[in-house]
Amino acid sequence: MCEFISDTKLFIDPTYRYSYLSKFIKFGKEDLTLVKEFGQMVLNPLIPRLIEDIENKMSNYDVTRELWRGNVESIVDTDKVSNQKSENNEFIFKKEIQIMYLKKLFMIDQELSSNGSSSKDQVDPSVINYIKELDEFCQLHFECKQVPLVHLSAYFGVLSDLIMEEVFESQMAEALKKKTWMAINKLLWIQNDSFTKAHVDDAMRHLTSSSSSCCLVTGAVGTSCLSKNMNK
């Protein structure tokens, strides 16, 4: 039987979106445990070197070198930057923020929540809480809208490659290496959605340009269908 997914809620309800993604790619508590164990036992002492490797890679290209230095104005609209900049935000490529991010991503020195219960058809609440906290961290500290998506993709491509190398060069059993990398790979795809949505305004799919036009998602007619569909 085909499961119903509310297209409207995917774009206006973050928790619903986290749950959908996690369930679709089967990222569960076992995966989260594997991510945490790898981060704590293998990755933690390697983080400074990983960041140095990323910096060296990004320094090979002038545009990403400027991003690493925090000179985002050189590659994007300066007026747009000044209008969007927040005192609480930092650039994703700032070293201190990367350290915080990787520790958050791999739950290093954090406790895995055991509150709540779930059935086999539901995503474990601890997984949803983790993704929610990670997403909120990214929204607070990363100025994703100011960094072109192509450079974020390049960053995550390099990060993924370096982490995969550490997984397969670790002393873990081969079967555990495979399971660990599969879990990390799922997590990185969820992160891809978190960063991409800063560039793709899904809510605009529910806004129409004229009173006579129809929203492609909900079928509602009017200048906005968001308020009409919040409770669907």
Side-chain angles (χ1 to χ4, degrees):
M1 182 177 179
C2 185
E3 180 179 351
F4 171 75
I5 297 295
S6 171
D7 196 67
T8 304
K9 289 184 68 175
L10 282 176
F11 304 125
I12 60 179
D13 185 341
T15 301
Y16 189 82
R17 186 182 184 112
Y18 307 147
S19 180
Y20 165 73
L21 282 172
S22 300
K23 188 173 182 180
F24 193 97
I25 65 176
K26 297 181 179 180
F27 182 78
K29 192 165 185 177
E30 180 183 357
D31 296 294
L32 186 53
T33 300
L34 288 169
V35 168
K36 176 175 172 55
E37 290 177 349
F38 173 76
Q40 196 71 49
M41 296 187 295
V42 179
L43 192 66
N44 191 23
L46 304 176
I47 287 178
R49 180 172 61 78
L50 285 179
I51 294 176
E52 183 178 352
D53 289 344
I54 294 173
E55 179 179 14
N56 291 336
K57 178 68 175 181
M58 297 183 71
S59 296
N60 291 332
Y61 301 89
D62 57 351
V63 65
T64 47
R65 184 177 65 241
E66 293 304 312
L67 282 173
W68 189 271
R69 294 173 178 174
N71 188 20
V72 73
E73 289 88 348
S74 66
I75 64 168
V76 297
D77 190 315
T78 305
D79 293 333
K80 186 176 181 181
V81 169
S82 61
N83 290 335
Q84 292 181 348
K85 195 169 181 64
S86 166
E87 293 181 357
N88 292 326
N89 286 343
E90 299 287 355
F91 292 106
I92 182 175
F93 301 120
K94 191 172 181 179
K95 292 182 181 180
E96 294 85 349
I97 300 301
Q98 285 194 75
I99 292 173
M100 292 171 59
Y101 172 64
L102 290 176
K103 286 181 176 291
K104 190 81 173 177
L105 185 66
F106 286 90
M107 298 193 72
I108 296 172
D109 298 327
Q110 298 180 54
E111 294 297 326
L112 182 59
S113 172
S114 59
N115 296 332
S117 60
S118 62
S119 68
K120 65 177 182 179
D121 296 324
Q122 295 177 323
V123 180
D124 192 284
S126 62
V127 174
I128 299 300
N129 289 337
Y130 162 73
I131 297 174
K132 180 176 182 292
E133 291 176 3
L134 192 59
D135 188 52
E136 290 174 348
F137 176 88
C138 294
Q139 298 304 317
L140 176 63
H141 292 287
F142 296 161
E143 294 182 339
C144 299
K145 289 184 179 180
Q146 296 183 27
V147 180
L149 184 58
V150 62
H151 303 312
L152 290 172
S153 298
Y155 170 82
F156 272 102
V158 173
L159 179 62
S160 173
D161 190 51
L162 291 172
I163 292 174
M164 180 172 62
E165 184 177 355
E166 297 302 336
V167 170
F168 288 101
E169 288 187 355
S170 70
Q171 299 301 312
M172 296 187 294
E174 290 301 317
L176 183 57
K177 288 180 182 180
K178 179 180 178 180
K179 291 176 64 177
T180 298
W181 174 243
M182 289 178 67
I184 294 172
N185 188 52
K186 294 175 187 178
L187 175 58
L188 291 178
W189 275 107
I190 293 174
Q191 280 294 276
N192 176 69
D193 177 73
S194 182
F195 282 90
T196 301
K197 70 181 181 181
H199 291 266
V200 181
D201 189 357
D202 286 332
M204 289 304 295
R205 296 182 62 192
H206 296 272
L207 300 176
T208 54
S209 58
S210 68
S211 59
S212 61
S213 56
C214 175
C215 173
L216 296 177
V217 176
T218 65
V221 176
T223 56
S224 174
C225 67
L226 279 175
S227 59
K228 298 177 183 178
N229 293 279
M230 282 292 291
N231 297 321
K232 285 190 176 182

